[in-house]
Amino acid sequence: FEYYMRDLFQGNKKEGVITPSKPPPTPPPRSMAPASLLRSIIDEGCTGNCIAVNQLSKLLSSRMEMESTSATTTPTEMISKKVTSFREKVKNVFYVKEPWAEESILDEYYFDLTCYALYRTAADLIPTDYKLRDLWVRNVGREIYQLLQREGMVKVPSAATVSATASASASAATMTMTTTTAKGLQLTDTIPALIQIMDSFQNSNFIRGYRLGEKNDDVRTGTNIFDQYDNEDINSNTSVNLLVSVFRPATLGSSLQITGEGSRFSTDLISPTLAALFEDQLGLKVEYEGYFVDEEYRPNPKDFFPDEQLLQLTLKRR
């Protein structure tokens, strides 16, 4: 704003002669843990043992069967080979921006590099079938959601628990407006699991931190992110938006790079995992978008150094 007001009253140099400022120093890479959890999602060699490659391989195998095509290598082998090739090609470029301490998937920046190579591979293998791409990403999220449950990091609500809690704490007036699903759950019942999912990403150092809701809304956040009115909106087939800000996600660099390439892809693992929660517990249709945010004011209009992603999930009955 200052730039344009100064241009109005005093005149600025033409934007073409302005060069971007030097980016701020890159923080040291976080060490992510536990190893078993991270490598279950994506491992160093992008083998069929990890969720992301396994799910992509299954979709490619199904497509090959439908098209009656054959290959000299298995889809998993093909994926691993391509990932290794892409990673080697962009390795030096990524290292300049995000120097990793070790070539380990537990290193935040090496994880980012590997994610880029994997999603770039998926874009190469599925160049135009965007529905198939979306299915892959969502299947990865569903598998991560189930993995977090198996690891005891996320406990989904049960109808019996919710019913007992509601009868003990809710007023009769409120209960007359209750909206439930086939599992006997409401949108507000998913809040604990939602927070547990985000805490799992934070505790593993996948993200530095997160915020539920809008930045300046101190009421609709945390355990109050949904309320009874949201339950009613879902019941009346009105969509409900969920905003999640994630700070310094381990996939930030790869998301920026692959988005900049115009491949209509983003290395976002959090949104599809949250989508899986609402699909599983409430049977909702979930659409999501991600936006890059640079909260620091910069007078140079060519400066943009985001360290945050704003995830917007739109929830609605099918």
Side-chain angles (χ1 to χ4, degrees):
F1 179 75
E2 176 185 322
Y3 174 83
Y4 297 106
M5 291 303 295
R6 191 168 61 235
D7 182 54
L8 178 64
F9 291 104
Q10 301 177 0
N12 287 309
K13 293 180 181 179
K14 294 298 182 182
E15 187 173 317
V17 302
I18 298 177
T19 58
S21 304
K22 185 177 179 180
T26 302
R30 297 188 301 270
S31 179
M32 301 190 292
S36 59
L37 176 69
L38 273 300
R39 290 194 171 106
S40 291
I41 300 172
I42 298 176
D43 58 23
E44 283 84 354
C46 283
T47 68
N49 296 324
C50 67
I51 287 172
V53 174
N54 180 268
Q55 291 301 310
L56 182 57
S57 178
K58 286 181 178 180
L59 291 181
L60 293 177
S61 295
S62 297
R63 188 177 67 175
M64 290 171 64
E65 290 177 4
M66 291 178 61
E67 297 175 351
S68 299
T69 57
S70 59
T72 56
T73 60
T74 66
T76 299
E77 292 171 336
M78 180 170 52
I79 294 167
S80 299
K81 185 176 180 180
K82 277 184 170 290
V83 169
T84 300
S85 176
F86 276 121
R87 188 164 55 188
E88 286 301 314
K89 287 179 181 178
V90 300
K91 191 174 182 179
N92 293 337
V93 176
F94 267 73
Y95 189 81
V96 170
K97 297 179 180 179
E98 301 177 338
W100 47 85
E102 57 179 330
E103 293 188 354
S104 166
I105 213 73
L106 305 181
D107 183 297
E108 170 193 4
Y109 295 147
Y110 195 76
F111 184 95
D112 197 18
L113 166 67
T114 304
C115 268
Y116 169 80
L118 175 58
Y119 278 68
R120 184 65 182 81
T121 293
D124 190 55
L125 294 174
I126 315 173
T128 57
D129 193 339
Y130 299 111
K131 288 185 177 180
L132 191 61
R133 286 192 191 184
D134 182 64
L135 178 59
W136 171 58
V137 171
R138 289 178 182 270
N139 284 347
V140 170
R142 291 171 184 132
E143 290 295 319
I144 294 175
Y145 168 65
Q146 292 177 17
L147 174 63
L148 294 177
Q149 291 182 70
R150 291 195 301 271
E151 295 292 325
M153 297 178 177
V154 173
K155 296 180 180 179
V156 296
S158 66
T161 302
V162 170
S163 176
T165 303
S167 62
S169 60
S171 66
T174 301
M175 290 302 291
T176 60
M177 301 295 291
T178 294
T179 301
T180 60
T181 64
K183 289 189 176 184
L185 303 175
Q186 307 174 70
L187 186 57
T188 48
D189 296 324
T190 64
I191 293 175
L194 165 62
I195 293 175
Q196 288 166 12
I197 289 174
M198 294 310 303
D199 284 347
S200 297
F201 279 108
Q202 179 173 294
N203 294 338
S204 66
N205 267 342
F206 184 84
I207 57 177
R208 188 189 64 194
Y210 71 92
R211 177 180 62 239
L212 298 179
E214 296 183 17
K215 179 180 179 181
N216 298 318
D217 191 338
D218 296 329
V219 178
R220 295 291 300 274
T221 187
T223 56
N224 296 318
I225 190 63
F226 299 130
D227 59 20
Q228 184 61 29
Y229 293 109
D230 294 317
N231 292 337
E232 295 168 14
D233 283 341
I234 291 295
N235 190 46
S236 62
N237 206 28
T238 301
S239 63
V240 173
N241 287 327
L242 167 64
L243 297 179
V244 182
S245 296
V246 291
F247 307 108
R248 275 194 59 205
T251 53
L252 180 62
S254 56
S255 291
L256 284 165
Q257 179 63 32
I258 206 164
T259 300
E261 293 172 358
S263 65
R264 296 174 67 176
F265 238 161
S266 177
T267 56
D268 172 17
L269 298 175
I270 297 177
S271 294
T273 303
L274 295 179
L277 165 68
F278 298 114
E279 290 172 350
D280 174 56
Q281 293 300 298
L282 302 177
L284 300 181
K285 178 181 179 181
V286 184
E287 301 295 338
Y288 48 83
E289 293 284 346
Y291 308 92
F292 301 106
V293 179
D294 182 358
E295 288 198 330
E296 183 174 335
Y297 165 72
R298 305 183 192 278
N300 187 337
K302 289 192 174 181
D303 288 350
F304 182 60
F305 308 119
D307 63 355
E308 172 190 338
Q309 274 186 285
L310 176 63
L311 310 176
Q312 178 177 310
L313 289 82
T314 302
L315 318 176
K316 194 173 184 179
R317 293 181 65 180
R318 294 183 184 277

